Amino acid sequence: MSRYTSATPADRAEMLAAIGVDSVADLFEQIPAPLRLREPLALDEGLGEAEVFERLAALAARNGDADEEVCFVGAGMYDHYVPAIVDAIAQRSEFLTPYTPYQPEISQGGLQVMFEFQTAMSELTALPVSNAGLYEGPSSVAAAGYLAMGATKRRRFVVSRGLHPHSRETLATYAVGYGAEVVEVGLRGGETDAEALAAAVDAETAAVFLQSPNFLGAIERVETLGAAAKEHGALLVVACDPMTLGVLKPPGEQGADIALGEGQPLGNRLDFGGPSFGFFCATEEQIRRMPGRIAGETEDVDGRRGFVLALQTREQHIRREKATHNICTAQALNSLAAMVHLAWLGREGYRELGELLVRRTAYARERLAAVPGVELLHEAPVARELAVRLDAPVDRVLAKVAAARGIAAGYPLGRDYPEYDDGLLVAITERRTKAEIDDLAEALGAAIAAEREGVAA
Amino acid sequence: MSRYTSATPADRAEMLAAIGVDSVADLFEQIPAPLRLREPLALDEGLGEAEVFERLAALAARNGDADEEVCFVGAGMYDHYVPAIVDAIAQRSEFLTPYTPYQPEISQGGLQVMFEFQTAMSELTALPVSNAGLYEGPSSVAAAGYLAMGATKRRRFVVSRGLHPHSRETLATYAVGYGAEVVEVGLRGGETDAEALAAAVDAETAAVFLQSPNFLGAIERVETLGAAAKEHGALLVVACDPMTLGVLKPPGEQGADIALGEGQPLGNRLDFGGPSFGFFCATEEQIRRMPGRIAGETEDVDGRRGFVLALQTREQHIRREKATHNICTAQALNSLAAMVHLAWLGREGYRELGELLVRRTAYARERLAAVPGVELLHEAPVARELAVRLDAPVDRVLAKVAAARGIAAGYPLGRDYPEYDDGLLVAITERRTKAEIDDLAEALGAAIAAEREGVAA
Amino acid sequence: MALTETPMQAEAARTIYERSKPGRRAAVLPPAEVPEPPLAELIPAELLRDEPPRLPEVAEPEIVRHYNRLSRRNFDLDSGFYPLGSCTMKHNPRLNERVAALPGHARLHPAQDPSRAQGALELMWLLQRSLAEICGLPHVSLQPSAGSHGELAGLLLTRAYLADRGEERTKVLAPDTSHGTNPASVTMAGYEVVKVATDERGGVEMDDLRAKVDEDVACLMLTNPNTLGLFDENIAEIAALIHAAGGTLYYDGANLNAIMGHSRPGDMGFDIVHVNLHKSFSQPHGGGGPGAGPIAVSERIEPYLPRPQVVRRDNNGHGPFYDLDLDRPKSIGRLRGFQGNFGVFVRSYAYILSLGADGLAEASETAVLNANYLKARLAEGRAGERLPVAFDRHCMHEFVLSGKPMKRELGLATLDLAKRLLDYGFHPPTVYFPLLVEEALMIEPTETETKESLDAFAEAIVRILAEAEEGPEVARSAPYTTPVRRLDEVKATRKPVVRQVMT
Amino acid sequence: MALTETPMQAEAARTIYERSKPGRRAAVLPPAEVPEPPLAELIPAELLRDEPPRLPEVAEPEIVRHYNRLSRRNFDLDSGFYPLGSCTMKHNPRLNERVAALPGHARLHPAQDPSRAQGALELMWLLQRSLAEICGLPHVSLQPSAGSHGELAGLLLTRAYLADRGEERTKVLAPDTSHGTNPASVTMAGYEVVKVATDERGGVEMDDLRAKVDEDVACLMLTNPNTLGLFDENIAEIAALIHAAGGTLYYDGANLNAIMGHSRPGDMGFDIVHVNLHKSFSQPHGGGGPGAGPIAVSERIEPYLPRPQVVRRDNNGHGPFYDLDLDRPKSIGRLRGFQGNFGVFVRSYAYILSLGADGLAEASETAVLNANYLKARLAEGRAGERLPVAFDRHCMHEFVLSGKPMKRELGLATLDLAKRLLDYGFHPPTVYFPLLVEEALMIEPTETETKESLDAFAEAIVRILAEAEEGPEVARSAPYTTPVRRLDEVKATRKPVVRQVMT
Ligand SMILES: Cc1ncc(COP(=O)(O)O)c(C=O)c1O
Ligand SMILES: Cc1ncc(COP(=O)(O)O)c(C=O)c1O
């Protein structure tokens, strides 16, 4: 009997007697003998809690986390300060341990939070319908593709190269499955090439995918770019960064049919990439094609206001092969964290945060551009992330700055864009102070200078 | 309006109108003008949450905590592993944020935990009555003195020098107030000098105070020593370490009238010394003289079982100057943590933990005694802490071992016992592995050798 | 004074938006510290938002109260018995939350250079090895975010594997007992679902299977034990059939909790297995996630695994170096961003370390013991007549009852029984699934439960049936004591109101 | 179906001991790793225990459920309005819990060498400086563990101060409105309490005071604003009187929340002040602690402060060095182990940093505004007649109503009103205190509450009084909806059952 189970030898004996067998082994006899394991699994014996803690702490200690390094890395996930109430609320058993709210009468807490979350996302994106969250950003892009296929009965996607590389890749992976073609349109001066995009969209195009700010940090002219989609009856799908929507024009006001994105910056940890959540909003027209759970308002038999999972006829557990998506377990707790974070920021705080990011990013851009050996990769407007080119091997500069100054200076664009293998993407959050930005500039300058002189800084 | 208040300008206007004043300042006019502050307080302006976090984290980073150093320091507070469920439960708002349970109908959670805690402490000490906890260990000793005075109408305390120095000092501080004399009895071979004790106790003695294991780690022969108290009608007060009572004979079986101690090892953090709690158990006879809150079982009007604060007529809020003690706010949450920790340990685990401590301590004693330049300070039986003498200046050895090996090797006895200024008190918990004990032995040996040779190790 | 409502019922639902007042706030942000020009000087005005979104305006104390009070309107595993079949509602150790929250894990950026993320990558590698051992298959990808994501991965792997052999197939077989995600994933992966019947022992109907296996079949998806809680005794033959026809065999691992350390999908002949870390490996369900659905695969599938893959390399003799392998030319590609739900990996790895080989086997044993005991208790007397077990043999970790006689004889639908159970303080079993069983009740107690819990649940069922002997009204109008009573789900779908209307 | 009980009422209270079964357990300890001889070989058998204590035997999931369910039987500040007078139930920011839990704080051993505890000592020093500024007194000791401990410290300081001047005095004055800890502390410190009367404006009756001040008076203990929520306008004169007679003036700081940044006890002439960090400085009350009761003192009292004291020294020109000063020859000595409730200091210092000079003043302002507003609301109409305010003037952060007319006219005792408030979802005010006011209700809303909360509370009072117009029965038998109903407190004291009986 382990710490997590309760059957004492006496319990076992009584239970076996009630079942009418002699041993638990008898119950396993339905497994054909050749398939029954004879040996224990080749894993260690179980450990006590303190020992497990020590082991995991030892592993954790071997990571350069954002407490240890000043983190200017973004590329889709950002080092924002998550207020303490988010953890306190999300760790309440009542939110942490239930299943998906299939029994609404005893799940009003979770359902109402979903409803509030949907409202918030709808407000952020200026689109009327939001689901309760998907796995994360890139797979939400793929889900939008599936929706667009269903909505348009077309099988061709036109995708900006400014869309997150993970999103483009995920879309491509899924597209092989549901049988769609993906066409990419390049960038120009940091922004999606409008002419190329217009040329790429045709009557077979199910959807056009943009991201704003795009992966290089540039704020796209979504409305202008989206015109091509409108013209050909394709859906306009816009991926966006939820931390910028306090100041940037929301996708819903720029003609987007679907707005989605990675939700991590809202209330979620870095967690080496997950769990976080993807948000997914759309026009009324798409409501019955939405993927994922959606909470809706209703009444109980006595007329009390209540919430339920609405539009379940879209879902796999009801519609099986005809479902609009296969998702079941999603990321409810992560959406809850986002909701609490947004409530904490509040209407004013959310806008102020957006302004703070824009201004600090502008400062950082100016500061970095002034460093010898650093130049801007593009001059398009930016909100919270900026791209520069370094006149020295990026990986070596990054390693140097990390080792010498404890700064994770940014994301090397060469990982995904061979054409920018001298590129560095620098992300700003409200945690990155002016002093840290100044340090970064200085450290980059020193590392580049040292590299150029062939000296170890 | 700050983040923690809600009165908007509109609210304020409405509220002032209802009150019938023009401004909040009017309400402060009851403070005579010369006493009203004209200038703001000389404190900084308020900071945002992230900034406060960074400031406090920067302070925390300048401490050598038990994650950073391998901690062999004890002297009353110990580095035990506190299981995760303790924090999870103690941090629930329902336990964290209410006041003392003056309204029992809506405080059954807290009251029942008190009742369960009292039961656990009663079991540990083998005394029938426990309160719900006092501030911490040493002030509980002083509370026992106050009780003993009330019970015996005598004003003389005989105290073993093996009692924690902080307890002796606190008792002395209080005794000046309530007007009692404190007589100290010395140690012999690590244990309380039985003859001296017998000689010191007289018909004026209100109580005899022992500690077992005593400050030097020695398990006292409480029953033998206590005979003198019995003989003269004095109360026998025994301070004990709750982590040893799974294996050591409990005070209640050794003639103690009162058993008490520092509760920190049960479920509480080191926290640089607090908050923790003091436990306080006694014979039935003393129940109406007990200090602190006591939960008791009762029934509601429908016959449902319930719990209330019992025997409130002992307390300051009812009895004022005639109260048995002045305590009001105590350490309820810390007692709760202890209860959860004890439930987690369970009957078997608690005993096993005691055995583990005894055996690892025996191993450490043997291992250290074999180190050149180290010898045992006494040979009395020990349970979880042991005292050695070093043949080199203790402070220098400690500094060296900390700097070179990241080990906090123990508590320098010279801080409190001039007669043992070469003494070191080494504490063992289940977190201190055999490998760490071996490291300690080696590190001490190296440091002493280096000191003797006058070399920096 | 008589009670008309419970205190929670008396409290009308109000959203955080309805608690807002202009000007209230909780956040205080740090000062800008840098020049603060009007935003329009930095970003063209037409790209700026006119009005900020109407987020809540509430101070911190009210936020805390709002969500605290809301939380109590949830039933949760940490408060009571939650025998939701197929969901494996087992204890969620708080130790796992503690280790997941360590800054070294929680504050690690996903794009961190592998040289400065060695602990995280090693942990992932160790988890991969552990899952491989438990599943009996050599390779693992941790990337999928949940079971259904693992299913999609498995089907895309099948497609890639077949394509590499120059084959294109169109059909995927799945039993009629399969979970809804299975057919939904099949469609998303561009295949057509073909249903296979169930035989009278609850396993795959072999004749039907034989009739449907052909060259167009890309894959058979199976849950074993299946959603009836029964182990398919013909699994070896099934595997042989599919393999002979050139298809892959996919294992839906939602029920792995029945067999850990007792039997392995790989040994049964499966090519691809997904594991729901939020089921067998104790990741809390979070009210609907997060979870993770790693997949274990055989050698022949390995080349197609998603990118990136965590690998252990030799660090020029300086011990191992853990890395993200992106250079996988045959890979199906990414299924999501970054490396997967790492926080979930930490929790599940902590769980595996805690239980170890012995503890995992013991967990499955106890899960099976608990299920069979509860089944036996419910087979007694009247309950056994009204709610007979759908397939009368020993079950594994769960079992399915049919409410058909209860409905016919007492007028009580399974839904009514479920709702009445709420009044007794229990989470109901999964209802109306699997579809094959009329008025189904699918009961999975897990190893977490004490005998006392199981007894209490059985007694509640007996009492509800006894109430119904007097007439079905009591249960039909249940629940009575929950924060809200029976809700109009039809309305919510007909005229969906999916967000707060702002006034 | 009519409700007879709420779900919680239906659940009988069972202790963790009653959930135990021999052999169950949660803890798995590490292996000994060292030789494991029988214990009797290491410790004489007569010093060993025969039978382990009968602690619970329960596996982890049941422990979690037990305490989770128990927790819901508490009303808490994070769920609703808690206007418990004199207790300052203000919001407990979770930020403070977060910073207190940082390993650098939470895992620091109290005997750590000061050179390796500089962060902790600096924090204590900074808190000392902040409290000194807030109190208007130059020196602070953080050692006392709560308000009552601070009181005892203050009286022992007075004794030491007087003794040092060769004086021994016997009496301590305290108003009849003083809190119970005041007289209890006086007795513990070996003094005799002399009660001072209250005048018709709610302040100290000056004639009575003059009559009682003499050479035997060691100290006057005062709360200002006092427990009626009223500021004593004669404080300057009172201070002069006491000082002229050679006594000390002690400030019970429980009500400091009324005046932060607006007035300072030191400026009023107080020599010694205690501060309840768990009241004005947001340390959570924890269901009855932990708290902390630092004291601030004037120059003349400083030499006697408890040991050790945190000091800032110059580190030979290498910046400051924070140290524990033990060398205090005139000190009264220790009041407890180690350095005090450090974890509480971290929380309260975080609170002070968060609010700052501006925020603290704003908090007091809002507290006073809220109290006066609620007082005004309750003075309206019928409520104002049945429950008149005891002293009709503007209050500070709290106010006291008298239930005397209510009792006389409606037959409703203050206790009944309090119990009925429970059904309305409110924590009742402090009742029957201060003793001076018949059927007293002491109401302190704090700055935490919204206007909406205050309005709802006022409306509940009005409704309860309206109910009572029909007769007192409803309130007299209240509460109806709480987990248990009115409890027999007399029985619990007459025949105390203070622990679980083991069977
Ligand atoms: C049998 C079965 N298969 C698949 C799934 C889908 O798993 P997930 O929710 O992780 O996507 C479930 C979950 O309920 C299940 O029970
Ligand atoms: C006026 C007053 N004085 C003193 C105290 C005692 O403070 P503590 O509970 O911190 O000992 C209280 C606490 O309720 C109080 O209200």
Side-chain angles (χ1 to χ4, degrees), chain D residues 423-441:
Chain D
D423 287 325
Y424 282 87
F426 294 103
H427 196 287
T430 295
V431 291
Y432 299 103
F433 183 79
L435 306 176
L436 167 81
V437 176
E438 258 185 82
E439 297 287 321
L441 277 147

PDB file of all heavy atoms in Angstrom, chain D residues 423-441:
ATOM      1  N   ASP D 423     -26.757  34.185   8.739  1.00  0.00           N
ATOM      2  CA  ASP D 423     -27.610  33.694   7.657  1.00  0.00           C
ATOM      3  C   ASP D 423     -27.576  34.628   6.442  1.00  0.00           C
ATOM      4  O   ASP D 423     -27.824  34.195   5.323  1.00  0.00           O
ATOM      5  CB  ASP D 423     -29.067  33.559   8.135  1.00  0.00           C
ATOM      6  CG  ASP D 423     -29.241  32.373   9.074  1.00  0.00           C
ATOM      7  OD1 ASP D 423     -28.571  31.358   8.871  1.00  0.00           O
ATOM      8  OD2 ASP D 423     -30.058  32.494  10.015  1.00  0.00           O
ATOM      9  N   TYR D 424     -27.291  35.881   6.697  1.00  0.00           N
ATOM     10  CA  TYR D 424     -27.199  36.838   5.599  1.00  0.00           C
ATOM     11  C   TYR D 424     -25.806  36.852   4.960  1.00  0.00           C
ATOM     12  O   TYR D 424     -25.534  37.660   4.076  1.00  0.00           O
ATOM     13  CB  TYR D 424     -27.587  38.242   6.080  1.00  0.00           C
ATOM     14  CG  TYR D 424     -29.092  38.413   6.203  1.00  0.00           C
ATOM     15  CD1 TYR D 424     -29.770  38.074   7.371  1.00  0.00           C
ATOM     16  CD2 TYR D 424     -29.835  38.892   5.125  1.00  0.00           C
ATOM     17  CE1 TYR D 424     -31.145  38.213   7.480  1.00  0.00           C
ATOM     18  CE2 TYR D 424     -31.220  39.039   5.220  1.00  0.00           C
ATOM     19  CZ  TYR D 424     -31.872  38.695   6.391  1.00  0.00           C
ATOM     20  OH  TYR D 424     -33.228  38.839   6.481  1.00  0.00           O
ATOM     21  N   GLY D 425     -24.947  35.976   5.438  1.00  0.00           N
ATOM     22  CA  GLY D 425     -23.639  35.850   4.795  1.00  0.00           C
ATOM     23  C   GLY D 425     -22.597  36.836   5.280  1.00  0.00           C
ATOM     24  O   GLY D 425     -21.581  37.032   4.624  1.00  0.00           O
ATOM     25  N   PHE D 426     -22.836  37.453   6.431  1.00  0.00           N
ATOM     26  CA  PHE D 426     -21.864  38.399   6.965  1.00  0.00           C
ATOM     27  C   PHE D 426     -21.234  37.872   8.246  1.00  0.00           C
ATOM     28  O   PHE D 426     -21.909  37.216   9.040  1.00  0.00           O
ATOM     29  CB  PHE D 426     -22.522  39.736   7.283  1.00  0.00           C
ATOM     30  CG  PHE D 426     -23.028  40.447   6.059  1.00  0.00           C
ATOM     31  CD1 PHE D 426     -24.379  40.457   5.742  1.00  0.00           C
ATOM     32  CD2 PHE D 426     -22.134  41.086   5.211  1.00  0.00           C
ATOM     33  CE1 PHE D 426     -24.833  41.105   4.593  1.00  0.00           C
ATOM     34  CE2 PHE D 426     -22.584  41.726   4.066  1.00  0.00           C
ATOM     35  CZ  PHE D 426     -23.936  41.729   3.761  1.00  0.00           C
ATOM     36  N   HIS D 427     -19.963  38.203   8.438  1.00  0.00           N
ATOM     37  CA  HIS D 427     -19.400  37.967   9.757  1.00  0.00           C
ATOM     38  C   HIS D 427     -19.934  39.061  10.662  1.00  0.00           C
ATOM     39  O   HIS D 427     -19.940  40.229  10.276  1.00  0.00           O
ATOM     40  CB  HIS D 427     -17.871  38.013   9.723  1.00  0.00           C
ATOM     41  CG  HIS D 427     -17.269  37.418  10.949  1.00  0.00           C
ATOM     42  ND1 HIS D 427     -17.304  38.043  12.170  1.00  0.00           N
ATOM     43  CD2 HIS D 427     -16.654  36.242  11.143  1.00  0.00           C
ATOM     44  CE1 HIS D 427     -16.715  37.264  13.069  1.00  0.00           C
ATOM     45  NE2 HIS D 427     -16.317  36.160  12.476  1.00  0.00           N
ATOM     46  N   PRO D 428     -20.386  38.720  11.853  1.00  0.00           N
ATOM     47  CA  PRO D 428     -20.913  39.759  12.741  1.00  0.00           C
ATOM     48  C   PRO D 428     -19.798  40.668  13.256  1.00  0.00           C
ATOM     49  O   PRO D 428     -18.630  40.303  13.241  1.00  0.00           O
ATOM     50  CB  PRO D 428     -21.505  38.968  13.913  1.00  0.00           C
ATOM     51  CG  PRO D 428     -21.527  37.542  13.488  1.00  0.00           C
ATOM     52  CD  PRO D 428     -20.481  37.382  12.439  1.00  0.00           C
ATOM     53  N   PRO D 429     -20.188  41.839  13.722  1.00  0.00           N
ATOM     54  CA  PRO D 429     -19.241  42.710  14.418  1.00  0.00           C
ATOM     55  C   PRO D 429     -18.788  42.049  15.726  1.00  0.00           C
ATOM     56  O   PRO D 429     -19.332  41.028  16.132  1.00  0.00           O
ATOM     57  CB  PRO D 429     -20.051  43.970  14.716  1.00  0.00           C
ATOM     58  CG  PRO D 429     -21.266  43.888  13.854  1.00  0.00           C
ATOM     59  CD  PRO D 429     -21.514  42.429  13.609  1.00  0.00           C
ATOM     60  N   THR D 430     -17.825  42.670  16.367  1.00  0.00           N
ATOM     61  CA  THR D 430     -17.472  42.275  17.727  1.00  0.00           C
ATOM     62  C   THR D 430     -18.666  42.602  18.625  1.00  0.00           C
ATOM     63  O   THR D 430     -19.262  43.670  18.480  1.00  0.00           O
ATOM     64  CB  THR D 430     -16.234  43.062  18.185  1.00  0.00           C
ATOM     65  OG1 THR D 430     -15.142  42.656  17.352  1.00  0.00           O
ATOM     66  CG2 THR D 430     -15.889  42.797  19.646  1.00  0.00           C
ATOM     67  N   VAL D 431     -19.014  41.673  19.482  1.00  0.00           N
ATOM     68  CA  VAL D 431     -20.205  41.904  20.308  1.00  0.00           C
ATOM     69  C   VAL D 431     -19.854  41.937  21.796  1.00  0.00           C
ATOM     70  O   VAL D 431     -18.865  41.342  22.224  1.00  0.00           O
ATOM     71  CB  VAL D 431     -21.281  40.818  20.044  1.00  0.00           C
ATOM     72  CG1 VAL D 431     -21.851  40.987  18.630  1.00  0.00           C
ATOM     73  CG2 VAL D 431     -20.731  39.417  20.232  1.00  0.00           C
ATOM     74  N   TYR D 432     -20.655  42.670  22.551  1.00  0.00           N
ATOM     75  CA  TYR D 432     -20.486  42.784  24.011  1.00  0.00           C
ATOM     76  C   TYR D 432     -19.120  43.324  24.392  1.00  0.00           C
ATOM     77  O   TYR D 432     -18.566  42.963  25.420  1.00  0.00           O
ATOM     78  CB  TYR D 432     -20.789  41.440  24.689  1.00  0.00           C
ATOM     79  CG  TYR D 432     -22.209  41.003  24.425  1.00  0.00           C
ATOM     80  CD1 TYR D 432     -22.507  40.015  23.498  1.00  0.00           C
ATOM     81  CD2 TYR D 432     -23.263  41.641  25.081  1.00  0.00           C
ATOM     82  CE1 TYR D 432     -23.814  39.651  23.225  1.00  0.00           C
ATOM     83  CE2 TYR D 432     -24.576  41.290  24.818  1.00  0.00           C
ATOM     84  CZ  TYR D 432     -24.849  40.302  23.885  1.00  0.00           C
ATOM     85  OH  TYR D 432     -26.150  39.959  23.627  1.00  0.00           O
ATOM     86  N   PHE D 433     -18.571  44.128  23.570  1.00  0.00           N
ATOM     87  CA  PHE D 433     -17.340  44.817  23.888  1.00  0.00           C
ATOM     88  C   PHE D 433     -17.363  46.126  23.147  1.00  0.00           C
ATOM     89  O   PHE D 433     -17.801  46.153  21.994  1.00  0.00           O
ATOM     90  CB  PHE D 433     -16.116  43.976  23.491  1.00  0.00           C
ATOM     91  CG  PHE D 433     -14.821  44.627  23.881  1.00  0.00           C
ATOM     92  CD1 PHE D 433     -14.368  44.570  25.191  1.00  0.00           C
ATOM     93  CD2 PHE D 433     -14.087  45.352  22.946  1.00  0.00           C
ATOM     94  CE1 PHE D 433     -13.198  45.213  25.559  1.00  0.00           C
ATOM     95  CE2 PHE D 433     -12.927  45.996  23.311  1.00  0.00           C
ATOM     96  CZ  PHE D 433     -12.468  45.924  24.613  1.00  0.00           C
ATOM     97  N   PRO D 434     -16.922  47.235  23.701  1.00  0.00           N
ATOM     98  CA  PRO D 434     -16.444  47.380  25.076  1.00  0.00           C
ATOM     99  C   PRO D 434     -17.578  47.220  26.094  1.00  0.00           C
ATOM    100  O   PRO D 434     -18.739  47.488  25.795  1.00  0.00           O
ATOM    101  CB  PRO D 434     -15.867  48.799  25.110  1.00  0.00           C
ATOM    102  CG  PRO D 434     -16.382  49.483  23.905  1.00  0.00           C
ATOM    103  CD  PRO D 434     -16.764  48.447  22.918  1.00  0.00           C
ATOM    104  N   LEU D 435     -17.179  46.797  27.286  1.00  0.00           N
ATOM    105  CA  LEU D 435     -18.126  46.408  28.327  1.00  0.00           C
ATOM    106  C   LEU D 435     -19.036  47.558  28.738  1.00  0.00           C
ATOM    107  O   LEU D 435     -20.191  47.373  29.118  1.00  0.00           O
ATOM    108  CB  LEU D 435     -17.366  45.900  29.557  1.00  0.00           C
ATOM    109  CG  LEU D 435     -16.368  44.772  29.238  1.00  0.00           C
ATOM    110  CD1 LEU D 435     -15.585  44.386  30.486  1.00  0.00           C
ATOM    111  CD2 LEU D 435     -17.075  43.554  28.647  1.00  0.00           C
ATOM    112  N   LEU D 436     -18.467  48.735  28.659  1.00  0.00           N
ATOM    113  CA  LEU D 436     -19.134  49.976  29.015  1.00  0.00           C
ATOM    114  C   LEU D 436     -20.462  50.200  28.291  1.00  0.00           C
ATOM    115  O   LEU D 436     -21.383  50.822  28.826  1.00  0.00           O
ATOM    116  CB  LEU D 436     -18.134  51.067  28.615  1.00  0.00           C
ATOM    117  CG  LEU D 436     -18.500  52.502  28.531  1.00  0.00           C
ATOM    118  CD1 LEU D 436     -18.461  53.070  29.940  1.00  0.00           C
ATOM    119  CD2 LEU D 436     -17.476  53.212  27.644  1.00  0.00           C
ATOM    120  N   VAL D 437     -20.537  49.721  27.052  1.00  0.00           N
ATOM    121  CA  VAL D 437     -21.751  49.932  26.255  1.00  0.00           C
ATOM    122  C   VAL D 437     -22.633  48.698  26.376  1.00  0.00           C
ATOM    123  O   VAL D 437     -22.183  47.590  26.099  1.00  0.00           O
ATOM    124  CB  VAL D 437     -21.400  50.200  24.775  1.00  0.00           C
ATOM    125  CG1 VAL D 437     -22.659  50.333  23.930  1.00  0.00           C
ATOM    126  CG2 VAL D 437     -20.507  51.428  24.658  1.00  0.00           C
ATOM    127  N   GLU D 438     -23.867  48.905  26.754  1.00  0.00           N
ATOM    128  CA  GLU D 438     -24.766  47.763  26.903  1.00  0.00           C
ATOM    129  C   GLU D 438     -25.084  47.159  25.557  1.00  0.00           C
ATOM    130  O   GLU D 438     -25.371  47.878  24.596  1.00  0.00           O
ATOM    131  CB  GLU D 438     -26.071  48.230  27.559  1.00  0.00           C
ATOM    132  CG  GLU D 438     -26.124  47.880  29.034  1.00  0.00           C
ATOM    133  CD  GLU D 438     -27.472  48.256  29.622  1.00  0.00           C
ATOM    134  OE1 GLU D 438     -28.417  47.463  29.468  1.00  0.00           O
ATOM    135  OE2 GLU D 438     -27.551  49.353  30.214  1.00  0.00           O
ATOM    136  N   GLU D 439     -25.071  45.849  25.500  1.00  0.00           N
ATOM    137  CA  GLU D 439     -25.406  45.142  24.249  1.00  0.00           C
ATOM    138  C   GLU D 439     -24.614  45.701  23.069  1.00  0.00           C
ATOM    139  O   GLU D 439     -25.147  45.953  21.986  1.00  0.00           O
ATOM    140  CB  GLU D 439     -26.914  45.249  23.972  1.00  0.00           C
ATOM    141  CG  GLU D 439     -27.797  44.587  25.013  1.00  0.00           C
ATOM    142  CD  GLU D 439     -27.764  43.061  24.930  1.00  0.00           C
ATOM    143  OE1 GLU D 439     -27.740  42.510  23.813  1.00  0.00           O
ATOM    144  OE2 GLU D 439     -27.720  42.408  26.007  1.00  0.00           O
ATOM    145  N   ALA D 440     -23.333  45.862  23.295  1.00  0.00           N
ATOM    146  CA  ALA D 440     -22.504  46.553  22.309  1.00  0.00           C
ATOM    147  C   ALA D 440     -22.296  45.770  21.018  1.00  0.00           C
ATOM    148  O   ALA D 440     -22.206  44.538  21.019  1.00  0.00           O
ATOM    149  CB  ALA D 440     -21.139  46.879  22.928  1.00  0.00           C
ATOM    150  N   LEU D 441     -22.208  46.518  19.933  1.00  0.00           N
ATOM    151  CA  LEU D 441     -21.806  46.007  18.617  1.00  0.00           C
ATOM    152  C   LEU D 441     -20.701  46.921  18.122  1.00  0.00           C
ATOM    153  O   LEU D 441     -20.927  48.121  17.926  1.00  0.00           O
ATOM    154  CB  LEU D 441     -22.970  46.138  17.636  1.00  0.00           C
ATOM    155  CG  LEU D 441     -24.026  45.057  17.643  1.00  0.00           C
ATOM    156  CD1 LEU D 441     -25.368  45.668  17.311  1.00  0.00           C
ATOM    157  CD2 LEU D 441     -23.652  44.001  16.620  1.00  0.00           C
TER     158      LEU D 441
END
